[in-house]
Amino acid sequence: MNWNTVKNFEDITYKKSDGIARIAFNRPEVRNAFRPKTIFEMYEAFTDAREDNEIGVVLLTGEGPAADGKYAFSSGGDQKIRGDAGYVGDDGIPRLNVLDLQKLIRSMPKPVIALVAGYAIGGGHVLHVICDLTIAADNAVFGQTGPKVGSFDGGFGSSYLASIVGQKKAREIWYLCRQYNAEEAEKMGLVNKVVPVDQLEAEGVQWAKEILEKSPIAIRCLKSAFNADIDGQAGIQELAGNATLLYYMSEEGQEGKNAYNEKRKPDFRKYPWLP
Ligand code: 2NE
């Protein structure tokens, strides 16, 4: 792929090419752990990808390998700057702003594919769980560490994980804090495919290209439909927003707007009351 850099950030890289956005953690020296700044940058890049009409799929990954040759998707929140009430950035304010990023990935109407090489641990693991699809390199390592390091994710990180791997397995993952290799992750349905590490990006691009051949509205409606049951009222809002979008695009919906603007009574009689 001939990636074009969209903007130079400090903690992430952000590139685009041919309808695909590639967003990557870029702190390999700490296994791509994130701090508030990392998440603010991620949020900006994801928002840009969401708003860009030309972009249909986002790849989320981690730059690497590190100087010691090891790869990481992300090792979660940076424990070195964790304060008493969250992760503390340069402004001294403690934050858990990764939750905002989780919601954005979940609700944006475009598929996000996690490409995991090396460690996807803690809050980094939760981010791949939230992505629509995950392709893993054969060196990938998955796991939660919360109860070991004094943390937990009781939101998507546990409830949505359980809907993917089942209640028993999700409880095992969180209660025992073990690490799982790519093959084990594939067996429990946690990843869609495992490929050699040097083929990871090419595989992700191939999957993205296949999606880009499909109908954008069908894909956006499917994403919100898959989310709806777990996401409660917010999930229904997304699904219903798509219904409104489709209605706006119909002649019947436009008759109401046109009549208002033309200061006349709307004429809906020509539209059938379908069974
Ligand atoms: C990821 C893992 C298993 C890798 O192990 P290994 O042996 O390959 O690397 P090593 O030597 O542990 O790490 C290399 C360097 O990266 C730093 C390390 O401290 C080390 O730097 P030095 O000490 O040599 O200078 N590093 C790695 N992960 C870091 C992290 N998360 N924060 C800060 N520095 C980190 C191994 O490194 C590991 O277990 N890391 C910790 C994983 C972890 O517990 N993450 C936090 C979970 S909680 C969370 O993410 C969270 C949440 O639960 C809820 C909301 C938001 C966030």
Side-chain angles (χ1 to χ4, degrees):
M1 284 297 268
N2 288 323
W3 295 111
N4 300 309
T5 296
V6 180
K7 179 175 171 181
N8 289 311
F9 289 100
E10 194 176 331
D11 284 8
I12 69 165
T13 57
Y14 180 31
K15 301 171 184 175
K16 289 180 187 172
S17 182
D18 280 345
I20 306 171
R22 180 189 183 279
I23 303 174
F25 291 101
N26 191 20
R27 302 184 77 212
E29 69 285 359
V30 286
R31 305 283 183 249
N32 286 325
F34 53 75
R35 53 183 173 175
K37 182 188 191 68
T38 322
I39 300 301
F40 281 128
E41 292 183 351
M42 279 270 162
Y43 201 88
E44 183 181 335
F46 268 97
T47 301
D48 178 84
R50 179 194 173 128
E51 296 299 323
D52 186 343
N53 260 354
E54 302 286 318
I55 294 296
V57 178
V58 180
L59 304 178
L60 175 61
T61 191
E63 299 293 353
D68 64 2
K70 287 195 180 180
Y71 288 80
F73 174 76
S74 170
S75 61
D78 188 327
Q79 299 306 296
K80 294 184 179 96
I81 52 103
R82 187 172 140 192
D84 294 343
Y87 296 90
V88 182
D90 291 341
D91 58 7
I93 297 171
R95 291 190 167 85
L96 254 182
N97 57 346
V98 72
L99 301 184
D100 297 330
L101 179 63
Q102 291 179 0
K103 284 189 281 188
L104 178 55
I105 293 173
R106 181 102 177 140
S107 66
M108 66 187 286
K110 302 174 182 186
V112 181
I113 306 176
L115 303 183
V116 178
Y119 293 105
I121 300 286
H125 186 259
V126 174
L127 285 175
H128 105 83
V129 164
I130 283 165
C131 290
D132 295 85
L133 301 164
T134 298
I135 302 173
D138 48 8
N139 68 357
V141 179
F142 301 88
Q144 298 296 158
T145 61
K148 240 179 9 185
V149 298
S151 181
F152 64 91
D153 184 327
F156 291 123
S158 47
S159 64
Y160 184 48
L161 177 69
S163 78
I164 295 172
V165 299
Q167 282 282 343
K168 297 278 184 188
K169 203 71 195 175
R171 289 169 201 231
E172 172 192 315
I173 290 169
W174 273 101
Y175 295 173
L176 278 68
C177 298
R178 287 181 181 168
Q179 293 182 352
Y180 303 85
N181 64 31
E183 195 187 334
E184 291 167 318
E186 192 177 28
K187 251 188 222 148
M188 61 174 113
L190 194 54
V191 306
N192 296 87
K193 187 166 183 184
V194 180
V195 296
V197 66
D198 60 353
Q199 288 167 31
L200 183 63
E201 184 163 305
E203 187 72 24
V205 167
Q206 178 55 35
W207 283 51
K209 282 184 172 168
E210 282 185 45
I211 294 171
L212 289 171
E213 290 167 0
K214 309 298 184 296
S215 155
I217 287 185
I219 298 291
R220 75 180 279 143
C221 289
L222 282 166
K223 178 161 179 172
S224 61
F226 282 123
N227 287 351
D229 63 338
I230 287 188
D231 292 3
Q233 193 65 46
I236 293 168
Q237 182 210 35
E238 267 176 46
L239 198 57
N242 285 330
T244 307
L245 169 72
L246 290 168
Y247 182 56
Y248 276 15
M249 291 165 78
S250 74
E251 194 188 292
E252 182 180 337
Q254 287 164 21
E255 167 60 12
K257 171 199 70 176
N258 291 339
Y260 177 82
N261 286 330
E262 291 161 16
K263 301 188 186 307
R264 62 175 171 80
K265 204 173 160 198
D267 179 9
F268 290 117
R269 279 168 305 180
K270 57 185 165 183
Y271 304 109
W273 294 88
L274 292 171

